[in-house]
Amino acid sequence: MKGIRVTECGGPGVLKYVDDLAHPGKPSGKQLLVRVKSAGVNPVDTYIRSGQFSPGRLPYVPGCDGSGVVEEVGRLVTKFKKGDRVYWGISNSGSYAELVLVPEKTTFHLSEGLSFAQGAAIGVPYSTAYRALVFKAHLSPGQTVLVHGASGAVGLACCQIARALDAYVIGTAGTDEGLRLVLANGANLAFNHRQNGYADKIKGCGKTIDVIVEMLANSNLDQDFELIGQSGQIVIVGSRGRIEVDPLLTIFKEISIHGTTLDGNSEEEWEKTGQFFASGQERGWLNPVVGREFPLSEADKAHGEVIEHKGGSHGKIVLNVI
């Protein structure tokens, strides 16, 4: 079958489009075999490809999340049947291919109202956002959340989810288009984090910030300490380096800092996440923004874009497989 094979860790050039990938095999137990329509491109995919995170084995097929149509189900699967439209957050065999094996617990129904490209934008970004806001920060109605870097896939998911939870949402972005997207996807206020003095504008907006979801901690964590309110929660979703901070700031405000990863989701948490997103699809607020689409054969270009995003971060990057 066609797909992407990686035989060595390195730059985007190690992503090789081939037509002789082995079939992933029959689904066992609670697995599904899915014909992939679109695959998500996430920063973590680049960390694994480069060797920053171990791929586990070589060669391998990249890709965590995606969307498609069920081809076959394992004998213990109870929620799906052949022909169902689905999206998933974790794959067993790699989503950058025509066929993929996925676990039932991280796979969910995709409504007819969303495209497959949008479906590929749900798995990792929305599940990460939900874990950060609900399972880590325990966001409550009426609280104020700052999404620091809100125009990317996880950031926009945070805006939509937080607004659905009746929170007051403040987002930041680095371009005019990003600011427009942030406001259009649930934020009450948006500020340009590339402008000098933007943090002072946030402080002056009249809201005490209860929760910060941080997309680039190595650049912003010290500033987050200044922006967060008393007993506030900071959830770190992303970081690309080290930062020097003053721990005294956490003491006086009694700040709680959390890291988050989807690997931490229990089966029960995956179930709750899927139920919430099913409601979001039905009610219409779950509406993923696809920033750019690439053919599967251009996975190398997609990997460059997801990290560099020279024109700004504007939603999810996806690979169209079929």
Side-chain angles (χ1 to χ4, degrees), residues 5 22 50 62 73 87 92 96 126 158 172 231 233 235-237 278 299:
R5 178 187 290 135
S50 67
V73 300
Y87 70 91
N92 296 126
Y96 292 15
Y126 279 76
C158 281
T172 75
S231 301
Q233 310 277 324
V235 186
I236 298 174
V237 170

Side-chain angles (χ1 to χ4, degrees), residues 35 54 60-61 86 97 102 106 118 127 136 146 148 155 170 195 214 218 231 243 248 255 260 302 319:
R35 184 160 297 279
S54 172
Y60 79 99
V61 178
V86 295
V102 295
T106 68
Q118 287 181 297
S127 301
K136 289 298 181 181
L146 168 64
H148 214 161
I170 301 170
Q195 290 183 349
E214 179 54 64
N218 59 293
S231 301
I243 185 172
L248 281 175
I255 299 168
T260 189
L319 296 170

Side-chain angles (χ1 to χ4, degrees), residues 4 11-17 41 46 49 96 294-306 319:
I4 299 296
V14 302
L15 297 165
K16 303 299 184 182
Y17 181 67
V41 179
T46 72
R49 182 215 71 225
Y96 292 15
F294 292 84
L296 181 59
S297 59
E298 295 182 4
D300 56 341
K301 294 180 181 178
H303 270 224
E305 178 65 21
V306 79
L319 296 170

Side-chain angles (χ1 to χ4, degrees), residues 148 203 212 214 220-230 234 236 243-251 253 255-257:
H148 214 161
K203 290 178 185 177
I212 296 178
E214 179 54 64
N220 302 323
L221 189 59
D222 56 343
Q223 194 152 245
D224 291 337
F225 290 169
E226 299 286 349
L227 290 170
I228 197 76
Q230 190 70 28
I234 299 173
I236 298 174
I243 185 172
E244 183 175 324
V245 297
D246 184 356
L248 281 175
L249 295 174
T250 71
I251 295 172
K253 286 188 177 181
I255 299 168
S256 296
I257 306 168

